[in-house]
Amino acid sequence: MRNVFYSAVTLLAALGVAGCGSGGSDSGASSNGTAADGEQLSGDIRIDGSSTVFPITAAVAEEFQAVHPRVRVAVSYSGTGGGFKKFDLGETDINNASRPIKQSEIDTATENEVEFIELPVAYDGLTVIVSPSNEFVDYLTVDELRKIWQPSSIVDTWDDVRPEWPEEEIKLFGPGTDSGTFDYFTEAIMGESGASRSDYTATEDDNLIVTGVARDPYALGYLGYAYYIENEGSLRPVPIKDGDKEPVAPTQESIDQGTYTPLSRPLFVYVRADAAKRPEVDAFMDFYLDEGRDLVSEIGYVALPDAVFEMVQERFDDRVTGSLFGGAGAEVGVSVKDVLARERASQSSE
């Protein structure tokens, strides 16, 4: 498997960019030629958002720049929410998101006359992790996760979860409140986005979660599946028991088949509609939806099925704006295929 984190760091170092530029104007992004002009294509593409989607987009950007070396792609991560704050002001061209856009973010974009194209690009499974030296946690139920992480939680030690477990303090690690992973986990486990205890080590850097959990046999955390895969020798995934079902561990198969519930989710990129008119952005997204499919699996996420990718490509080609997955009607566990198929059917009947 590609070392995506090394590649991403190498990419940013080569670009000489630590973060995305500011300002909503496209005047700094020149386009000499079209996508058909090969290496003559040039310009700047500014991307921010989810640390979970970051490895995919960074790997795609690296491959894209090998074909189009005059296009400068700046990829940063400030969390899904942090990225939308910039995207909704027109400061970035693309936002990586590990959850659908919220209604409040749609409202801000509308106020700033920012239209966007919503594109699912992969499946992920939020992975609950412990250290390999933890020998007592066999699985956790959804109710136990809720008991541990709820805002009013009185769980301090492992025996507060199950009496037979050690009377040792649970050291909790997780993403910060700007993270889409945080939003999705709290929505799936607590039933309310953002509902979480605050007395845990919160960070937008998933590698710090990995380090904190790996070295402590009594630590517990959660992050995206790809970060677990990248560090699987240092971490142990915890199977999750949802209701009366048998405990299920996160794997490529269980995420793809939808049996890893309720912590499977789609991952997105959001493209500014006006930015998509620029040849370099148009070419980048075509490349993302084509070559990026193989990179998704290499990195450790689950690629969308062929039929779904065709519908996603159509959505971009037709420049369909607005959100199908976010806003006031957002649901956890939504089927990407079913939602896109309904949109296609609706368009065909008009």
Side-chain angles (χ1 to χ4, degrees), residues 43-60:
D44 293 324
I45 303 174
R46 299 157 294 178
I47 307 173
D48 204 334
S50 167
S51 63
T52 301
V53 186
F54 171 82
I56 304 173
T57 302
V60 170

Side-chain angles (χ1 to χ4, degrees), residues 19 35 52 65 80 86 89 130 155 157 178 205 219 235 257 265 272 274 283 337 348:
T52 301
Q65 288 184 126
T80 298
K86 300 174 185 178
L89 295 175
V130 294
V155 171
T157 58
D178 269 344
D205 187 343
L235 302 169
Q257 295 169 6
R265 60 175 175 172
R272 255 184 36 232
D274 60 336
K337 181 179 180 180
S348 298

Side-chain angles (χ1 to χ4, degrees), residues 231-314:
N231 298 277
E232 60 182 332
S234 304
L235 302 169
R236 182 165 69 83
V238 178
I240 304 301
K241 181 175 173 59
D242 185 11
D244 295 331
K245 301 174 185 176
E246 291 297 312
V248 177
T251 64
Q252 291 269 342
E253 292 74 24
S254 65
I255 294 168
D256 184 34
Q257 295 169 6
T259 58
Y260 180 62
T261 58
L263 294 178
S264 294
R265 60 175 175 172
L267 302 176
F268 301 88
V269 295
Y270 288 78
V271 186
R272 255 184 36 232
D274 60 336
K277 297 176 182 178
R278 305 200 320 257
E280 69 274 20
V281 177
D282 177 56
F284 178 75
M285 286 311 308
D286 280 337
F287 188 91
Y288 201 126
L289 296 176
D290 183 13
E291 302 297 329
R293 296 188 61 190
D294 293 333
L295 295 175
V296 164
S297 298
E298 266 189 65
I299 289 164
Y301 293 114
V302 176
L304 300 177
D306 290 347
V308 175
F309 247 108
E310 288 175 10
M311 289 187 280
V312 172
Q313 181 71 64
E314 279 182 21

Side-chain angles (χ1 to χ4, degrees), residues 156-176:
D156 296 315
T157 58
W158 281 104
D159 64 331
D160 289 332
V161 182
R162 291 188 205 172
E164 65 269 27
W165 284 351
E167 190 179 351
E168 297 285 348
E169 181 184 359
I170 300 180
K171 304 288 182 60
L172 295 173
F173 293 82

